[in-house]
PDB file of all heavy atoms in Angstrom:
ATOM      1  N   PHE A   1      53.096  -2.511  18.632  1.00 81.00           N
ATOM      2  CA  PHE A   1      52.921  -3.235  17.371  1.00 81.00           C
ATOM      3  C   PHE A   1      53.130  -2.290  16.194  1.00 81.00           C
ATOM      4  O   PHE A   1      52.713  -1.132  16.219  1.00 81.00           O
ATOM      5  CB  PHE A   1      51.521  -3.840  17.280  1.00 81.00           C
ATOM      6  CG  PHE A   1      51.219  -4.877  18.316  1.00 81.00           C
ATOM      7  CD1 PHE A   1      50.267  -4.636  19.293  1.00 81.00           C
ATOM      8  CD2 PHE A   1      51.887  -6.089  18.322  1.00 81.00           C
ATOM      9  CE1 PHE A   1      49.984  -5.588  20.254  1.00 81.00           C
ATOM     10  CE2 PHE A   1      51.617  -7.047  19.282  1.00 81.00           C
ATOM     11  CZ  PHE A   1      50.659  -6.793  20.253  1.00 81.00           C
ATOM     12  N   LEU A   2      53.752  -2.796  15.138  1.00 82.00           N
ATOM     13  CA  LEU A   2      53.925  -2.040  13.897  1.00 82.00           C
ATOM     14  C   LEU A   2      53.375  -2.883  12.747  1.00 82.00           C
ATOM     15  O   LEU A   2      53.994  -3.870  12.340  1.00 82.00           O
ATOM     16  CB  LEU A   2      55.401  -1.732  13.652  1.00 82.00           C
ATOM     17  CG  LEU A   2      55.705  -0.995  12.335  1.00 82.00           C
ATOM     18  CD1 LEU A   2      55.081   0.399  12.350  1.00 82.00           C
ATOM     19  CD2 LEU A   2      57.207  -0.888  12.101  1.00 82.00           C
ATOM     20  N   PRO A   3      52.192  -2.527  12.210  1.00 84.00           N
ATOM     21  CA  PRO A   3      51.650  -3.302  11.084  1.00 84.00           C
ATOM     22  C   PRO A   3      52.481  -3.059   9.823  1.00 84.00           C
ATOM     23  O   PRO A   3      52.671  -1.914   9.411  1.00 84.00           O
ATOM     24  CB  PRO A   3      50.230  -2.742  10.932  1.00 84.00           C
ATOM     25  CG  PRO A   3      50.282  -1.378  11.519  1.00 84.00           C
ATOM     26  CD  PRO A   3      51.321  -1.412  12.598  1.00 84.00           C
ATOM     27  N   VAL A   4      52.989  -4.130   9.227  1.00 84.00           N
ATOM     28  CA  VAL A   4      53.852  -3.982   8.047  1.00 84.00           C
ATOM     29  C   VAL A   4      53.146  -4.414   6.765  1.00 84.00           C
ATOM     30  O   VAL A   4      53.681  -4.232   5.675  1.00 84.00           O
ATOM     31  CB  VAL A   4      55.164  -4.777   8.220  1.00 84.00           C
ATOM     32  CG1 VAL A   4      55.970  -4.214   9.363  1.00 84.00           C
ATOM     33  CG2 VAL A   4      54.889  -6.260   8.432  1.00 84.00           C
ATOM     34  N   GLY A   5      51.945  -4.985   6.888  1.00 87.00           N
ATOM     35  CA  GLY A   5      51.224  -5.394   5.699  1.00 87.00           C
ATOM     36  C   GLY A   5      49.959  -6.162   6.030  1.00 87.00           C
ATOM     37  O   GLY A   5      49.777  -6.641   7.153  1.00 87.00           O
ATOM     38  N   PHE A   6      49.084  -6.239   5.020  1.00 90.00           N
ATOM     39  CA  PHE A   6      47.855  -7.019   5.134  1.00 90.00           C
ATOM     40  C   PHE A   6      47.919  -8.213   4.187  1.00 90.00           C
ATOM     41  O   PHE A   6      48.579  -8.169   3.145  1.00 90.00           O
ATOM     42  CB  PHE A   6      46.636  -6.180   4.733  1.00 90.00           C
ATOM     43  CG  PHE A   6      46.227  -5.144   5.733  1.00 90.00           C
ATOM     44  CD1 PHE A   6      46.592  -3.822   5.549  1.00 90.00           C
ATOM     45  CD2 PHE A   6      45.469  -5.482   6.836  1.00 90.00           C
ATOM     46  CE1 PHE A   6      46.203  -2.846   6.454  1.00 90.00           C
ATOM     47  CE2 PHE A   6      45.069  -4.519   7.751  1.00 90.00           C
ATOM     48  CZ  PHE A   6      45.448  -3.200   7.561  1.00 90.00           C
ATOM     49  N   ILE A   7      47.224  -9.279   4.555  1.00 88.00           N
ATOM     50  CA  ILE A   7      46.982 -10.427   3.678  1.00 88.00           C
ATOM     51  C   ILE A   7      45.482 -10.493   3.445  1.00 88.00           C
ATOM     52  O   ILE A   7      44.702 -10.446   4.403  1.00 88.00           O
ATOM     53  CB  ILE A   7      47.462 -11.736   4.349  1.00 88.00           C
ATOM     54  CG1 ILE A   7      48.976 -11.780   4.458  1.00 88.00           C
ATOM     55  CG2 ILE A   7      46.936 -12.946   3.587  1.00 88.00           C
ATOM     56  CD1 ILE A   7      49.685 -12.004   3.160  1.00 88.00           C
ATOM     57  N   ASP A   8      45.057 -10.598   2.187  1.00 89.00           N
ATOM     58  CA  ASP A   8      43.623 -10.705   1.911  1.00 89.00           C
ATOM     59  C   ASP A   8      43.419 -11.409   0.569  1.00 89.00           C
ATOM     60  O   ASP A   8      44.182 -11.193  -0.372  1.00 89.00           O
ATOM     61  CB  ASP A   8      42.980  -9.313   1.875  1.00 89.00           C
ATOM     62  CG  ASP A   8      41.483  -9.370   2.124  1.00 89.00           C
ATOM     63  OD1 ASP A   8      40.735  -9.787   1.213  1.00 89.00           O
ATOM     64  OD2 ASP A   8      41.061  -9.013   3.241  1.00 89.00           O
ATOM     65  N   ASP A   9      42.380 -12.242   0.503  1.00 88.00           N
ATOM     66  CA  ASP A   9      42.117 -13.014  -0.717  1.00 88.00           C
ATOM     67  C   ASP A   9      41.201 -12.285  -1.703  1.00 88.00           C
ATOM     68  O   ASP A   9      40.871 -12.834  -2.753  1.00 88.00           O
ATOM     69  CB  ASP A   9      41.499 -14.371  -0.348  1.00 88.00           C
ATOM     70  CG  ASP A   9      42.522 -15.306   0.276  1.00 88.00           C
ATOM     71  OD1 ASP A   9      43.728 -15.128   0.010  1.00 88.00           O
ATOM     72  OD2 ASP A   9      42.117 -16.208   1.046  1.00 88.00           O
ATOM     73  N   ASP A  10      40.790 -11.067  -1.371  1.00 87.00           N
ATOM     74  CA  ASP A  10      39.965 -10.280  -2.280  1.00 87.00           C
ATOM     75  C   ASP A  10      40.863  -9.642  -3.346  1.00 87.00           C
ATOM     76  O   ASP A  10      41.693  -8.785  -3.026  1.00 87.00           O
ATOM     77  CB  ASP A  10      39.227  -9.193  -1.499  1.00 87.00           C
ATOM     78  CG  ASP A  10      38.274  -8.388  -2.379  1.00 87.00           C
ATOM     79  OD1 ASP A  10      38.270  -8.600  -3.608  1.00 87.00           O
ATOM     80  OD2 ASP A  10      37.537  -7.549  -1.833  1.00 87.00           O
ATOM     81  N   PRO A  11      40.733 -10.034  -4.615  1.00 87.00           N
ATOM     82  CA  PRO A  11      41.608  -9.500  -5.672  1.00 87.00           C
ATOM     83  C   PRO A  11      41.549  -7.976  -5.778  1.00 87.00           C
ATOM     84  O   PRO A  11      42.535  -7.332  -6.137  1.00 87.00           O
ATOM     85  CB  PRO A  11      41.074 -10.156  -6.954  1.00 87.00           C
ATOM     86  CG  PRO A  11      40.292 -11.340  -6.491  1.00 87.00           C
ATOM     87  CD  PRO A  11      39.746 -10.989  -5.157  1.00 87.00           C
ATOM     88  N   ALA A  12      40.381  -7.383  -5.458  1.00 87.00           N
ATOM     89  CA  ALA A  12      40.229  -5.931  -5.581  1.00 87.00           C
ATOM     90  C   ALA A  12      41.084  -5.176  -4.568  1.00 87.00           C
ATOM     91  O   ALA A  12      41.384  -3.997  -4.764  1.00 87.00           O
ATOM     92  CB  ALA A  12      38.756  -5.551  -5.405  1.00 87.00           C
ATOM     93  N   LYS A  13      41.481  -5.847  -3.498  1.00 87.00           N
ATOM     94  CA  LYS A  13      42.256  -5.168  -2.442  1.00 87.00           C
ATOM     95  C   LYS A  13      43.762  -5.300  -2.621  1.00 87.00           C
ATOM     96  O   LYS A  13      44.516  -4.566  -1.976  1.00 87.00           O
ATOM     97  CB  LYS A  13      41.856  -5.719  -1.067  1.00 87.00           C
ATOM     98  CG  LYS A  13      40.439  -5.377  -0.656  1.00 87.00           C
ATOM     99  CD  LYS A  13      40.104  -5.984   0.706  1.00 87.00           C
ATOM    100  CE  LYS A  13      38.675  -5.662   1.108  1.00 87.00           C
ATOM    101  NZ  LYS A  13      38.298  -6.302   2.376  1.00 87.00           N
ATOM    102  N   LEU A  14      44.209  -6.228  -3.448  1.00 87.00           N
ATOM    103  CA  LEU A  14      45.639  -6.476  -3.607  1.00 87.00           C
ATOM    104  C   LEU A  14      46.355  -5.227  -4.110  1.00 87.00           C
ATOM    105  O   LEU A  14      45.936  -4.595  -5.077  1.00 87.00           O
ATOM    106  CB  LEU A  14      45.887  -7.638  -4.559  1.00 87.00           C
ATOM    107  CG  LEU A  14      45.410  -9.017  -4.080  1.00 87.00           C
ATOM    108  CD1 LEU A  14      45.711 -10.078  -5.123  1.00 87.00           C
ATOM    109  CD2 LEU A  14      46.055  -9.386  -2.753  1.00 87.00           C
ATOM    110  N   GLY A  15      47.437  -4.867  -3.440  1.00 86.00           N
ATOM    111  CA  GLY A  15      48.218  -3.692  -3.832  1.00 86.00           C
ATOM    112  C   GLY A  15      47.705  -2.386  -3.267  1.00 86.00           C
ATOM    113  O   GLY A  15      48.361  -1.354  -3.389  1.00 86.00           O
ATOM    114  N   MET A  16      46.520  -2.412  -2.653  1.00 88.00           N
ATOM    115  CA  MET A  16      45.963  -1.186  -2.087  1.00 88.00           C
ATOM    116  C   MET A  16      46.621  -0.860  -0.754  1.00 88.00           C
ATOM    117  O   MET A  16      47.214  -1.722  -0.101  1.00 88.00           O
ATOM    118  CB  MET A  16      44.453  -1.327  -1.882  1.00 88.00           C
ATOM    119  CG  MET A  16      43.652  -1.407  -3.166  1.00 88.00           C
ATOM    120  SD  MET A  16      41.876  -1.538  -2.849  1.00 88.00           S
ATOM    121  CE  MET A  16      41.568   0.019  -2.017  1.00 88.00           C
ATOM    122  N   TYR A  17      46.507   0.418  -0.342  1.00 85.00           N
ATOM    123  CA  TYR A  17      47.037   0.869   0.941  1.00 85.00           C
ATOM    124  C   TYR A  17      45.877   1.246   1.861  1.00 85.00           C
ATOM    125  O   TYR A  17      44.942   1.938   1.456  1.00 85.00           O
ATOM    126  CB  TYR A  17      47.948   2.084   0.760  1.00 85.00           C
ATOM    127  CG  TYR A  17      49.297   1.741   0.161  1.00 85.00           C
ATOM    128  CD1 TYR A  17      49.454   1.656  -1.218  1.00 85.00           C
ATOM    129  CD2 TYR A  17      50.400   1.505   0.975  1.00 85.00           C
ATOM    130  CE1 TYR A  17      50.692   1.336  -1.773  1.00 85.00           C
ATOM    131  CE2 TYR A  17      51.634   1.184   0.426  1.00 85.00           C
ATOM    132  CZ  TYR A  17      51.775   1.104  -0.944  1.00 85.00           C
ATOM    133  OH  TYR A  17      52.997   0.788  -1.485  1.00 85.00           O
ATOM    134  N   ILE A  18      45.932   0.781   3.099  1.00 83.00           N
ATOM    135  CA  ILE A  18      44.936   1.119   4.119  1.00 83.00           C
ATOM    136  C   ILE A  18      45.667   1.840   5.242  1.00 83.00           C
ATOM    137  O   ILE A  18      46.455   1.231   5.970  1.00 83.00           O
ATOM    138  CB  ILE A  18      44.230  -0.145   4.654  1.00 83.00           C
ATOM    139  CG1 ILE A  18      43.529  -0.892   3.517  1.00 83.00           C
ATOM    140  CG2 ILE A  18      43.240   0.207   5.755  1.00 83.00           C
ATOM    141  CD1 ILE A  18      42.956  -2.232   3.903  1.00 83.00           C
ATOM    142  N   ASP A  19      45.431   3.145   5.355  1.00 77.00           N
ATOM    143  CA  ASP A  19      46.161   3.978   6.324  1.00 77.00           C
ATOM    144  C   ASP A  19      47.669   3.820   6.164  1.00 77.00           C
ATOM    145  O   ASP A  19      48.413   3.749   7.154  1.00 77.00           O
ATOM    146  CB  ASP A  19      45.758   3.613   7.758  1.00 77.00           C
ATOM    147  CG  ASP A  19      44.439   4.259   8.158  1.00 77.00           C
ATOM    148  OD1 ASP A  19      44.111   5.308   7.582  1.00 77.00           O
ATOM    149  OD2 ASP A  19      43.756   3.722   9.036  1.00 77.00           O
ATOM    150  N   GLY A  20      48.120   3.726   4.916  1.00 77.00           N
ATOM    151  CA  GLY A  20      49.551   3.645   4.651  1.00 77.00           C
ATOM    152  C   GLY A  20      50.132   2.249   4.738  1.00 77.00           C
ATOM    153  O   GLY A  20      51.332   2.061   4.524  1.00 77.00           O
ATOM    154  N   VAL A  21      49.305   1.244   5.047  1.00 85.00           N
ATOM    155  CA  VAL A  21      49.774  -0.146   5.156  1.00 85.00           C
ATOM    156  C   VAL A  21      49.272  -0.920   3.938  1.00 85.00           C
ATOM    157  O   VAL A  21      48.071  -0.930   3.654  1.00 85.00           O
ATOM    158  CB  VAL A  21      49.277  -0.807   6.463  1.00 85.00           C
ATOM    159  CG1 VAL A  21      49.808  -2.238   6.566  1.00 85.00           C
ATOM    160  CG2 VAL A  21      49.700   0.011   7.673  1.00 85.00           C
ATOM    161  N   LYS A  22      50.175  -1.581   3.220  1.00 87.00           N
ATOM    162  CA  LYS A  22      49.844  -2.211   1.939  1.00 87.00           C
ATOM    163  C   LYS A  22      49.271  -3.612   2.106  1.00 87.00           C
ATOM    164  O   LYS A  22      49.665  -4.369   2.999  1.00 87.00           O
ATOM    165  CB  LYS A  22      51.104  -2.279   1.071  1.00 87.00           C
ATOM    166  CG  LYS A  22      50.860  -2.741  -0.358  1.00 87.00           C
ATOM    167  CD  LYS A  22      52.148  -2.715  -1.162  1.00 87.00           C
ATOM    168  CE  LYS A  22      51.915  -3.150  -2.607  1.00 87.00           C
ATOM    169  NZ  LYS A  22      53.157  -3.123  -3.403  1.00 87.00           N
ATOM    170  N   VAL A  23      48.323  -3.948   1.236  1.00 89.00           N
ATOM    171  CA  VAL A  23      47.833  -5.331   1.119  1.00 89.00           C
ATOM    172  C   VAL A  23      48.838  -6.052   0.232  1.00 89.00           C
ATOM    173  O   VAL A  23      48.878  -5.855  -0.983  1.00 89.00           O
ATOM    174  CB  VAL A  23      46.420  -5.382   0.517  1.00 89.00           C
ATOM    175  CG1 VAL A  23      45.937  -6.834   0.433  1.00 89.00           C
ATOM    176  CG2 VAL A  23      45.447  -4.552   1.337  1.00 89.00           C
ATOM    177  N   VAL A  24      49.692  -6.883   0.854  1.00 88.00           N
ATOM    178  CA  VAL A  24      50.876  -7.409   0.160  1.00 88.00           C
ATOM    179  C   VAL A  24      50.652  -8.733  -0.565  1.00 88.00           C
ATOM    180  O   VAL A  24      51.495  -9.149  -1.357  1.00 88.00           O
ATOM    181  CB  VAL A  24      52.054  -7.558   1.153  1.00 88.00           C
ATOM    182  CG1 VAL A  24      52.517  -6.210   1.636  1.00 88.00           C
ATOM    183  CG2 VAL A  24      51.676  -8.464   2.321  1.00 88.00           C
ATOM    184  N   GLY A  25      49.545  -9.417  -0.301  1.00 86.00           N
ATOM    185  CA  GLY A  25      49.334 -10.682  -0.992  1.00 86.00           C
ATOM    186  C   GLY A  25      48.142 -11.444  -0.455  1.00 86.00           C
ATOM    187  O   GLY A  25      47.332 -10.911   0.315  1.00 86.00           O
ATOM    188  N   THR A  26      48.033 -12.709  -0.871  1.00 88.00           N
ATOM    189  CA  THR A  26      46.927 -13.575  -0.466  1.00 88.00           C
ATOM    190  C   THR A  26      47.417 -14.593   0.548  1.00 88.00           C
ATOM    191  O   THR A  26      48.613 -14.726   0.794  1.00 88.00           O
ATOM    192  CB  THR A  26      46.350 -14.302  -1.688  1.00 88.00           C
ATOM    193  OG1 THR A  26      47.372 -15.165  -2.231  1.00 88.00           O
ATOM    194  CG2 THR A  26      45.918 -13.308  -2.762  1.00 88.00           C
ATOM    195  N   THR A  27      46.485 -15.353   1.115  1.00 85.00           N
ATOM    196  CA  THR A  27      46.867 -16.369   2.107  1.00 85.00           C
ATOM    197  C   THR A  27      47.742 -17.455   1.478  1.00 85.00           C
ATOM    198  O   THR A  27      48.582 -18.042   2.152  1.00 85.00           O
ATOM    199  CB  THR A  27      45.609 -17.012   2.727  1.00 85.00           C
ATOM    200  OG1 THR A  27      44.719 -17.430   1.687  1.00 85.00           O
ATOM    201  CG2 THR A  27      44.893 -16.043   3.626  1.00 85.00           C
ATOM    202  N   ALA A  28      47.570 -17.719   0.184  1.00 85.00           N
ATOM    203  CA  ALA A  28      48.404 -18.718  -0.485  1.00 85.00           C
ATOM    204  C   ALA A  28      49.872 -18.299  -0.521  1.00 85.00           C
ATOM    205  O   ALA A  28      50.766 -19.144  -0.571  1.00 85.00           O
ATOM    206  CB  ALA A  28      47.887 -18.953  -1.908  1.00 85.00           C
ATOM    207  N   GLN A  29      50.117 -16.976  -0.478  1.00 86.00           N
ATOM    208  CA  GLN A  29      51.493 -16.457  -0.515  1.00 86.00           C
ATOM    209  C   GLN A  29      52.071 -16.235   0.877  1.00 86.00           C
ATOM    210  O   GLN A  29      53.161 -15.683   1.007  1.00 86.00           O
ATOM    211  CB  GLN A  29      51.501 -15.125  -1.286  1.00 86.00           C
ATOM    212  CG  GLN A  29      51.025 -15.248  -2.731  1.00 86.00           C
ATOM    213  CD  GLN A  29      50.792 -13.883  -3.357  1.00 86.00           C
ATOM    214  OE1 GLN A  29      50.030 -13.073  -2.842  1.00 86.00           O
ATOM    215  NE2 GLN A  29      51.467 -13.623  -4.474  1.00 86.00           N
ATOM    216  N   LEU A  30      51.340 -16.650   1.900  1.00 85.00           N
ATOM    217  CA  LEU A  30      51.734 -16.372   3.282  1.00 85.00           C
ATOM    218  C   LEU A  30      53.145 -16.830   3.633  1.00 85.00           C
ATOM    219  O   LEU A  30      53.929 -16.052   4.196  1.00 85.00           O
ATOM    220  CB  LEU A  30      50.698 -16.995   4.231  1.00 85.00           C
ATOM    221  CG  LEU A  30      50.815 -16.671   5.713  1.00 85.00           C
ATOM    222  CD1 LEU A  30      50.827 -15.174   5.957  1.00 85.00           C
ATOM    223  CD2 LEU A  30      49.671 -17.310   6.491  1.00 85.00           C
ATOM    224  N   PRO A  31      53.558 -18.062   3.318  1.00 83.00           N
ATOM    225  CA  PRO A  31      54.922 -18.487   3.676  1.00 83.00           C
ATOM    226  C   PRO A  31      56.003 -17.589   3.078  1.00 83.00           C
ATOM    227  O   PRO A  31      56.967 -17.221   3.765  1.00 83.00           O
ATOM    228  CB  PRO A  31      55.007 -19.919   3.128  1.00 83.00           C
ATOM    229  CG  PRO A  31      53.586 -20.384   3.071  1.00 83.00           C
ATOM    230  CD  PRO A  31      52.793 -19.171   2.718  1.00 83.00           C
ATOM    231  N   GLU A  32      55.848 -17.219   1.787  1.00 84.00           N
ATOM    232  CA  GLU A  32      56.854 -16.368   1.140  1.00 84.00           C
ATOM    233  C   GLU A  32      56.876 -14.967   1.755  1.00 84.00           C
ATOM    234  O   GLU A  32      57.952 -14.387   1.968  1.00 84.00           O
ATOM    235  CB  GLU A  32      56.557 -16.245  -0.368  1.00 84.00           C
ATOM    236  CG  GLU A  32      56.699 -17.541  -1.151  1.00 84.00           C
ATOM    237  CD  GLU A  32      55.472 -18.433  -1.048  1.00 84.00           C
ATOM    238  OE1 GLU A  32      54.430 -17.968  -0.500  1.00 84.00           O
ATOM    239  OE2 GLU A  32      55.528 -19.594  -1.500  1.00 84.00           O
ATOM    240  N   ILE A  33      55.698 -14.440   2.074  1.00 85.00           N
ATOM    241  CA  ILE A  33      55.612 -13.098   2.659  1.00 85.00           C
ATOM    242  C   ILE A  33      56.249 -13.072   4.043  1.00 85.00           C
ATOM    243  O   ILE A  33      56.942 -12.115   4.410  1.00 85.00           O
ATOM    244  CB  ILE A  33      54.137 -12.635   2.721  1.00 85.00           C
ATOM    245  CG1 ILE A  33      53.603 -12.420   1.300  1.00 85.00           C
ATOM    246  CG2 ILE A  33      53.985 -11.360   3.542  1.00 85.00           C
ATOM    247  CD1 ILE A  33      52.106 -12.251   1.223  1.00 85.00           C
ATOM    248  N   LEU A  34      56.053 -14.136   4.814  1.00 83.00           N
ATOM    249  CA  LEU A  34      56.656 -14.206   6.150  1.00 83.00           C
ATOM    250  C   LEU A  34      58.180 -14.161   6.069  1.00 83.00           C
ATOM    251  O   LEU A  34      58.840 -13.480   6.859  1.00 83.00           O
ATOM    252  CB  LEU A  34      56.208 -15.488   6.859  1.00 83.00           C
ATOM    253  CG  LEU A  34      54.749 -15.543   7.346  1.00 83.00           C
ATOM    254  CD1 LEU A  34      54.432 -16.925   7.874  1.00 83.00           C
ATOM    255  CD2 LEU A  34      54.508 -14.500   8.424  1.00 83.00           C
ATOM    256  N   LYS A  35      58.740 -14.894   5.123  1.00 79.00           N
ATOM    257  CA  LYS A  35      60.196 -14.958   5.005  1.00 79.00           C
ATOM    258  C   LYS A  35      60.792 -13.664   4.463  1.00 79.00           C
ATOM    259  O   LYS A  35      61.901 -13.279   4.828  1.00 79.00           O
ATOM    260  CB  LYS A  35      60.583 -16.129   4.089  1.00 79.00           C
ATOM    261  CG  LYS A  35      60.264 -17.492   4.690  1.00 79.00           C
ATOM    262  CD  LYS A  35      60.532 -18.614   3.695  1.00 79.00           C
ATOM    263  CE  LYS A  35      60.132 -19.972   4.280  1.00 79.00           C
ATOM    264  NZ  LYS A  35      60.304 -21.065   3.303  1.00 79.00           N
ATOM    265  N   ALA A  36      60.047 -12.954   3.608  1.00 78.00           N
ATOM    266  CA  ALA A  36      60.611 -11.785   2.917  1.00 78.00           C
ATOM    267  C   ALA A  36      60.474 -10.483   3.693  1.00 78.00           C
ATOM    268  O   ALA A  36      61.142  -9.504   3.378  1.00 78.00           O
ATOM    269  CB  ALA A  36      59.932 -11.632   1.556  1.00 78.00           C
ATOM    270  N   ASN A  37      59.625 -10.432   4.736  1.00 76.00           N
ATOM    271  CA  ASN A  37      59.325  -9.150   5.375  1.00 76.00           C
ATOM    272  C   ASN A  37      59.722  -9.063   6.845  1.00 76.00           C
ATOM    273  O   ASN A  37      59.377  -8.089   7.516  1.00 76.00           O
ATOM    274  CB  ASN A  37      57.828  -8.847   5.241  1.00 76.00           C
ATOM    275  CG  ASN A  37      57.425  -8.570   3.808  1.00 76.00           C
ATOM    276  OD1 ASN A  37      57.549  -7.454   3.310  1.00 76.00           O
ATOM    277  ND2 ASN A  37      56.942  -9.599   3.118  1.00 76.00           N
ATOM    278  N   GLY A  38      60.424 -10.047   7.364  1.00 76.00           N
ATOM    279  CA  GLY A  38      60.880  -9.979   8.754  1.00 76.00           C
ATOM    280  C   GLY A  38      59.738  -9.860   9.747  1.00 76.00           C
ATOM    281  O   GLY A  38      59.785  -9.048  10.671  1.00 76.00           O
ATOM    282  N   ILE A  39      58.721 -10.680   9.579  1.00 82.00           N
ATOM    283  CA  ILE A  39      57.531 -10.614  10.426  1.00 82.00           C
ATOM    284  C   ILE A  39      57.815 -11.264  11.784  1.00 82.00           C
ATOM    285  O   ILE A  39      58.369 -12.348  11.854  1.00 82.00           O
ATOM    286  CB  ILE A  39      56.340 -11.319   9.749  1.00 82.00           C
ATOM    287  CG1 ILE A  39      56.089 -10.750   8.353  1.00 82.00           C
ATOM    288  CG2 ILE A  39      55.094 -11.221  10.614  1.00 82.00           C
ATOM    289  CD1 ILE A  39      55.750  -9.284   8.318  1.00 82.00           C
ATOM    290  N   ASP A  40      57.405 -10.588  12.861  1.00 83.00           N
ATOM    291  CA  ASP A  40      57.548 -11.154  14.213  1.00 83.00           C
ATOM    292  C   ASP A  40      56.306 -11.937  14.625  1.00 83.00           C
ATOM    293  O   ASP A  40      56.404 -12.994  15.235  1.00 83.00           O
ATOM    294  CB  ASP A  40      57.794 -10.040  15.243  1.00 83.00           C
ATOM    295  CG  ASP A  40      59.079  -9.293  14.980  1.00 83.00           C
ATOM    296  OD1 ASP A  40      60.099  -9.959  14.719  1.00 83.00           O
ATOM    297  OD2 ASP A  40      59.075  -8.047  15.037  1.00 83.00           O
ATOM    298  N   GLU A  41      55.128 -11.379  14.313  1.00 84.00           N
ATOM    299  CA  GLU A  41      53.875 -12.014  14.713  1.00 84.00           C
ATOM    300  C   GLU A  41      52.846 -11.895  13.588  1.00 84.00           C
ATOM    301  O   GLU A  41      52.917 -10.981  12.767  1.00 84.00           O
ATOM    302  CB  GLU A  41      53.309 -11.374  15.994  1.00 84.00           C
ATOM    303  CG  GLU A  41      54.186 -11.582  17.217  1.00 84.00           C
ATOM    304  CD  GLU A  41      53.549 -11.052  18.494  1.00 84.00           C
ATOM    305  OE1 GLU A  41      52.359 -10.651  18.448  1.00 84.00           O
ATOM    306  OE2 GLU A  41      54.232 -11.030  19.528  1.00 84.00           O
ATOM    307  N   VAL A  42      51.891 -12.826  13.604  1.00 86.00           N
ATOM    308  CA  VAL A  42      50.793 -12.812  12.641  1.00 86.00           C
ATOM    309  C   VAL A  42      49.497 -12.630  13.416  1.00 86.00           C
ATOM    310  O   VAL A  42      49.248 -13.336  14.398  1.00 86.00           O
ATOM    311  CB  VAL A  42      50.743 -14.116  11.818  1.00 86.00           C
ATOM    312  CG1 VAL A  42      49.536 -14.125  10.893  1.00 86.00           C
ATOM    313  CG2 VAL A  42      52.027 -14.298  11.023  1.00 86.00           C
ATOM    314  N   LEU A  43      48.681 -11.679  12.983  1.00 86.00           N
ATOM    315  CA  LEU A  43      47.392 -11.446  13.619  1.00 86.00           C
ATOM    316  C   LEU A  43      46.281 -11.828  12.649  1.00 86.00           C
ATOM    317  O   LEU A  43      46.188 -11.290  11.541  1.00 86.00           O
ATOM    318  CB  LEU A  43      47.240  -9.977  14.010  1.00 86.00           C
ATOM    319  CG  LEU A  43      45.863  -9.568  14.550  1.00 86.00           C
ATOM    320  CD1 LEU A  43      45.566 -10.274  15.864  1.00 86.00           C
ATOM    321  CD2 LEU A  43      45.761  -8.060  14.720  1.00 86.00           C
ATOM    322  N   VAL A  44      45.436 -12.766  13.055  1.00 85.00           N
ATOM    323  CA  VAL A  44      44.287 -13.183  12.237  1.00 85.00           C
ATOM    324  C   VAL A  44      43.116 -12.277  12.598  1.00 85.00           C
ATOM    325  O   VAL A  44      42.536 -12.392  13.680  1.00 85.00           O
ATOM    326  CB  VAL A  44      43.929 -14.659  12.483  1.00 85.00           C
ATOM    327  CG1 VAL A  44      42.750 -15.073  11.593  1.00 85.00           C
ATOM    328  CG2 VAL A  44      45.135 -15.554  12.221  1.00 85.00           C
ATOM    329  N   ALA A  45      42.792 -11.342  11.698  1.00 84.00           N
ATOM    330  CA  ALA A  45      41.718 -10.373  11.935  1.00 84.00           C
ATOM    331  C   ALA A  45      40.503 -10.720  11.089  1.00 84.00           C
ATOM    332  O   ALA A  45      40.085  -9.964  10.217  1.00 84.00           O
ATOM    333  CB  ALA A  45      42.211  -8.960  11.618  1.00 84.00           C
ATOM    334  N   LEU A  46      39.965 -11.911  11.341  1.00 81.00           N
ATOM    335  CA  LEU A  46      38.809 -12.416  10.578  1.00 81.00           C
ATOM    336  C   LEU A  46      37.725 -12.850  11.559  1.00 81.00           C
ATOM    337  O   LEU A  46      37.514 -14.054  11.770  1.00 81.00           O
ATOM    338  CB  LEU A  46      39.232 -13.599   9.696  1.00 81.00           C
ATOM    339  CG  LEU A  46      40.341 -13.334   8.671  1.00 81.00           C
ATOM    340  CD1 LEU A  46      40.842 -14.645   8.074  1.00 81.00           C
ATOM    341  CD2 LEU A  46      39.837 -12.401   7.571  1.00 81.00           C
TER     342      LEU A  46
END
């Protein structure tokens, strides 16, 4: 697995990097993020 980004609805986390992996957007932006980043799988870590 290669994590290419995080999705999180906490405004304070948007744009931050966690171990080099960026928080790229919120759940509302999920469809656009999927199309723009060549995602193979989605992992729900909640």
Side-chain angles (χ1 to χ4, degrees):
F1 297 113
L2 177 65
V4 296
F6 286 100
I7 291 287
D8 202 285
D9 288 335
D10 184 354
K13 293 179 181 176
L14 294 180
M16 292 181 63
Y17 286 85
I18 301 173
D19 280 334
V21 181
K22 188 177 181 180
V23 181
V24 293
T26 64
T27 50
Q29 300 169 304
L30 188 55
E32 294 82 9
I33 292 168
L34 288 173
K35 292 174 183 176
N37 292 276
I39 305 299
D40 297 315
E41 295 185 7
V42 176
L43 174 65
V44 181
L46 301 169

